[in-house]
Amino acid sequence: MRRTKWLALGMAMAPFAAQAETPDGAGEAMAAASIVVTGTGLALPPGTPAYGSVVIDRDRLEDAASGRIESVLADVAGFQQFRRSDSRASNPSNQGATLRALGGNASSRTLVLLDGVPVADPFFGYIPFSALVPDRLALVRVTRGGGSGAFGAGAVAGTIELASATRDQMPAFGASAFYGSRDATELSASIAPDLGSGYVSLSGRWDRGDGFQTTPRDQRVAATVPAAYDSWSTNLRAVAPIDATSEIQFRGTLFQDNRTLRFAGADSMSQGQDASIRYISRGRWQVDALAYLQARNFSNIVISSTSFRKSLDQRNTPSTGIGGKIELRPPVGADHVLRIGVDSRFATGDMFEDAYNAGIASNPLTARRHAGGDQITSGIFAEDDWTIGNLVLTGGVRADRWSIRNGFYKAVSAAGTVTQDSSYANRSDWEFSGRAGALYHISDAVALRGAAYSGFRLPTLNELYRPFVVFPITTQANAALKPEKLKGVEGGIDLTPASGVQLSATLFYNRLDDAIANVTIATNTRQRQNVNTIVAKGVELTASAQLPADFSLLASYAYSHSKVDAPGMAFDGFAPAQVPRHSASATLAWAPKAGPELSATLRYTAKQYEDDLQSDVLPDALTLDALARLPIGHGISLVARGENLFDEDVVTRNAGGSIDLGTPRTLWIGVRIGQ
């Protein structure tokens, strides 16, 4: 099996690699030096390619074997979550997204946007992947690095932009039903009727499963249970034209996700109610105005791995995010695309938790804890793309005013005695960031590009005020954390050697100062701290090709040499936790215009370390996914999906030998209507 895996890996990397396409119309937009705001609302200025963006189209989004957005994003080598688990078998608060081997501590270092709205949880900073259903999306654009630009603050590792599907991409009625291994079901339905000259789409999805055993067989005990999950989400989107060049878009999303991990009673819940309204004008003066509201909550029960009784009940973590953006694109001539605007985001949240003595049979309450605070970031930005023949120069600057306020932590004993009552000083400051790039078309087949950028990320309320336990490790919060600050450069070449063939190579160097990491300070004890610097450098290779006989290949490979610069610390010179040196993905698909469709996706992740001291290894992993679709007429298709067909043991956590595993071989059979 090992030999077979490495042979398959060599085949996947032979063409070298990525899940990438340039969206239709992007080339014309560059040539005409005018911005294009697509029907999705996704802006495509001519300078965008200078930052090496990768686009995942709707066909690929609909063909994921897992049906989950985080699996599709893994097609872009270098994308990673804090842990290797997907959203069925991971604690929701672990679901941070990052790029470029900058390491992780569960909060997202990548700015993830849905129709321009930041989707990260206001308290934790995690991404609610289970609520981001691929079938609802038109495309995804991933920018590795690239700084903040006009996106907003927080993009230290890059930006992932998700755009909702448009009316012409959605059937008037669509539905799917799948049944999978371990009594798993996945049901979804959508309707998208026209409403006047606009339209409304309403979609819902419910999936559940008995789950797989995340615990290796030799570590299971009587209290060990599979990672059961039960989640649902519903989405309402309406688009109403005002006139020939402008429209209003509304989106509302409700979701809830329930999971059980490792032990009976170790239940977590995350939920959200999000709403946004957006005005887009494509006239002579282009306007993009956005306002949004997010209400989220999270709860989690920690079970002792020795007594198997409740040790902590994180019973309530309500948080709210409020924000908006106004962007203007004035008519400044055929050679320039100017974007100016302001944006702001306010986040507030509270953590309520109860601690219990798991060593006593009666499992008594020992303490009640309450922590929280507020954050606000407001910025002003300007960005311009200047087309000079075959050369496009692009650059932007931002000035952000941030503040962290009203932080506190209070602990009360079971008898009602206050044991800690801390209030933390308010803090505020200005951060200035920017980016600049150049794109030069040597010919229709060759383009050179280069970029430099900077950005920053505030520590989340979770990092500042909430400690947590993943047995046997306790990680302490740190109310004194400073913002992370990134500086980076990159250069690349894009090749189109033949019709339907695109190749790309990018060299990058990123430096993250004051990086927030989980630092070991004692046996089984860590604390969130700012470390001096993380330096990440490497190469990213991407390829896409339309092959004879209706075959296509999409592939991606990333090599990253990342290390921590922390003079005087035990981990100085080590690789950041959770960072693999190599990652690769390749998808081979056969899709004739009429008839069955087949696709297979091979992914490889090199070994990485669980902790800052490199004492616990997560071995390398190679997985194979596949999908087959057979149309049977009248818009109905039979679909078979397979995840991890090698049945590879993917180690997702290793804390002193206490191990969790990722998704084993999982098979699905189902039907789709309306596609």
Side-chain angles (χ1 to χ4, degrees), residues 120 353 565:
E353 67 179 25
D565 177 24

Side-chain angles (χ1 to χ4, degrees), residues 471-523:
F471 185 86
I473 308 297
T474 297
T475 301
Q476 300 174 354
N478 185 352
L481 290 171
K482 298 181 290 186
E484 299 179 328
K485 301 178 183 179
L486 177 112
K487 296 181 179 66
V489 294
E490 64 183 71
I493 183 170
D494 300 322
L495 304 174
T496 309
S499 177
V501 178
Q502 296 176 330
L503 308 174
S504 176
T506 302
L507 295 171
F508 68 89
Y509 176 93
N510 283 184
R511 176 188 175 97
L512 184 64
D513 295 325
D514 293 322
I516 298 171
N518 297 334
V519 176
T520 299
I521 59 175
T523 302

Side-chain angles (χ1 to χ4, degrees), residues 21 23 26 36 38 41-45 48-49 52-57 73 76 99 110-111 113 139-144 151 158-163 339 435:
E21 288 187 20
V36 174
T38 69
L42 194 61
L44 299 173
T48 297
S53 297
V54 176
V55 172
I56 304 172
D57 65 17
L73 291 172
V76 180
L99 296 159
T110 300
L111 180 62
L113 306 171
L139 56 86
V140 177
R141 184 169 66 199
V142 180
T143 302
R144 294 175 282 199
F151 302 121
T159 306
I160 298 174
E161 301 167 86
L162 301 92
R339 309 168 71 182
R435 63 179 189 166

